């Protein structure tokens, strides 16, 4: 394994910049104008570089400046390196100036509902960057520098100062192909259950209403009567499997409204509410009193109102 070239043996940046500018223009005068230096200063920079390298980089005459073969080789490499260095520095400076909002949401909510909508926010507010922090725990907004968080809870347990985004209703969902192949029609029934694979979300402790055991009455029989069972530890995986035709999942309707609207999924039973009228709420950090956070929070509330309206249609 070859070791990297020792940094201490590389030429200084200023002589290298003077050389690249002179090589680009083939003129010390024009290089000096680009670098806001005197012509003699650029000439000294090039001479310093030639002395460090022990080679001539230019052929000089009274009327023209030409690169030597060694100068051509160095120019090709150094010009590319300095261009990429300049682009990186510009990007870093721009990112430091660009206002940014950090939003926290559970992995499933981020994947199914939040991320697909962010392009609409970027169109409306192209100057504001958004950082998504997907995590299934309730993060500490102040300690982890999070501006806004989406929390799933009951109205009575919603954090003080939070704003309601939308409620929730549930229904079993499957791809149109799976629904069309059921012998008793596109719905859950005792007759259809042996022909179905149930897609289960492994979160029975915190979300027991998302377990198939609680839907035995609607299924027309015990979940064990189903043809098969696939279990997932993330809710979005469960829904992506349903869209891929692998079985039937318990759909959280506001999170999958787009998939229902465009036909990727269809409901197999009428929806029912979650216990305690649970819903999604927007919580802001105390440190997040900035115009870009105001804009993002108001935009999210507007998106939530659309999801709420979609559940009643």
């Amino acid at each position: 394994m070859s070791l990297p070239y020792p940094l201490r043996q590389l030429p200084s940046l200023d002589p290298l910049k003077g050389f690249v500018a002179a090589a680009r223009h083939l003129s010390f005068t024009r290089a000096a104008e680009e670098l806001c230096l005197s012509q003699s200063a650029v000439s000294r920079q090039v001479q310093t570089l030639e002395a460090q390298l022990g080679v001539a980089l230019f052929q000089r005459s009274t009327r023209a400046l030409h690169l030597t073969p060694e100068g051509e080789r160095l120019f090709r490499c150094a010009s590319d390196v300095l261009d990429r260095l300049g682009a990186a520095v510009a990007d870093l400076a721009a990112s430091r100036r660009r206002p940014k909002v950090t939003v926290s949401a559970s992995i499933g909510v981020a994947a199914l509902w939040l991320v697909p909508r962010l392009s609409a926010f970027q169109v409306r507010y192209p100057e504001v960057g958004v950082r998504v922090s997907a995590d299934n725990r309730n993060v500490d907004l102040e300690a982890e520098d999070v501006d806004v968080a989406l929390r799933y809870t009951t109205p009575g347990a919603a954090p003080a100062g939070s704003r309601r985004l939308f409620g929730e209703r549930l229904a079993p969902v499957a791809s149109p192909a799976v629904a069309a192949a059921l012998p008793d029609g596109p719905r859950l029934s005792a007759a259809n259950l042996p022909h179905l694979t149930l897609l289960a979300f492994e979160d029975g402790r915190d979300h027991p209403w998302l377990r198939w055991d609680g839907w035995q009455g609607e299924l027309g029989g015990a979940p064990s009567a189903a043809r098969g069972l696939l279990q997932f530890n993330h809710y979005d995986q469960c829904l992506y499997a349903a869209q891929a035709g692998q079985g039937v999942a318990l759909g959280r309707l506001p999170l999958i409204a787009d998939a229902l609207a465009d036909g990727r999924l269809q409901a197999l039973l009428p929806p029912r509410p979650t216990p305690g009228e649970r819903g999604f709420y927007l919580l802001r950090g105390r440190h997040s009193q900035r115009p870009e956070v105001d804009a993002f929070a108001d935009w999210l509330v507007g998106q939530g109102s659309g999801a709420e309206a979609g559940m009643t249609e």
Side-chain angles (χ1 to χ4, degrees), residues 46-300:
V46 173
Q47 290 171 1
T48 298
L49 184 59
E50 289 177 322
Q52 290 176 349
L53 299 177
V55 296
L57 300 174
F58 289 104
Q59 294 175 349
R60 297 164 173 84
S61 67
T62 55
R63 294 187 178 182
L65 195 64
H66 302 284
L67 285 165
T68 64
E70 293 81 6
E72 287 276 7
R73 180 181 175 187
L74 181 61
F75 175 64
R76 286 196 299 269
C77 176
S79 178
D80 177 64
V81 169
L82 291 181
D83 284 346
R84 287 189 284 122
L85 179 61
V89 169
D91 286 345
L92 289 173
S95 66
R96 186 174 63 250
R97 295 190 301 268
R98 184 186 184 94
K100 182 178 69 175
V101 178
T102 296
V103 54
S104 171
S106 70
I107 295 172
V109 172
L112 294 170
W113 188 81
L114 177 61
V115 171
R117 287 164 170 76
L118 288 180
S119 59
F121 178 79
Q122 287 290 280
V123 168
R124 188 170 178 181
Y125 299 98
E127 73 284 1
V128 179
V130 178
R131 173 178 171 265
V132 177
S133 176
D135 199 314
N136 286 338
R137 62 189 175 88
N138 284 343
V139 302
D140 185 320
L141 274 65
E142 312 302 328
E144 301 189 37
D145 199 25
V146 171
D147 295 307
V148 296
L150 276 62
R151 295 281 170 82
Y152 179 66
T153 186
T154 60
S162 61
R163 301 167 69 182
R164 178 183 169 91
L165 292 177
F166 50 84
E168 184 171 58
R169 293 196 296 170
L170 307 173
V173 295
S175 70
V178 168
L182 296 175
D184 193 35
R187 62 184 182 276
L188 279 185
S189 66
N192 283 335
L193 190 56
H195 300 274
L196 287 170
T197 295
L198 300 182
L199 307 174
F201 175 42
E202 292 180 348
D203 197 3
R205 183 184 65 180
D206 293 332
H207 301 86
W209 50 93
L210 290 176
R211 295 180 55 185
W212 282 108
D213 291 346
W215 289 73
Q216 185 163 327
E218 288 87 342
L219 290 173
S224 58
R227 179 179 61 191
L229 177 70
L230 291 176
Q231 295 177 290
F232 303 88
N233 67 340
H234 290 303
Y235 182 70
D236 56 313
Q237 297 171 344
C238 194
L239 269 295
Y240 291 143
Q243 292 181 39
Q246 296 184 30
V248 57
L250 288 173
R252 306 169 78 175
L253 299 190
L255 301 186
I256 60 170
D258 294 341
L260 291 169
D262 63 23
R264 283 174 287 160
L265 291 171
Q266 70 178 74
L268 302 184
L269 284 175
R272 74 181 193 187
T274 56
E277 296 295 333
R278 283 171 169 78
F280 293 87
Y281 291 78
L282 176 66
L283 179 64
R284 287 184 61 166
R286 291 189 299 273
H287 66 288
S288 301
Q289 307 305 313
R290 307 190 307 277
E292 62 269 21
V293 182
D294 295 339
F296 187 72
D298 291 342
W299 175 82
L300 272 180

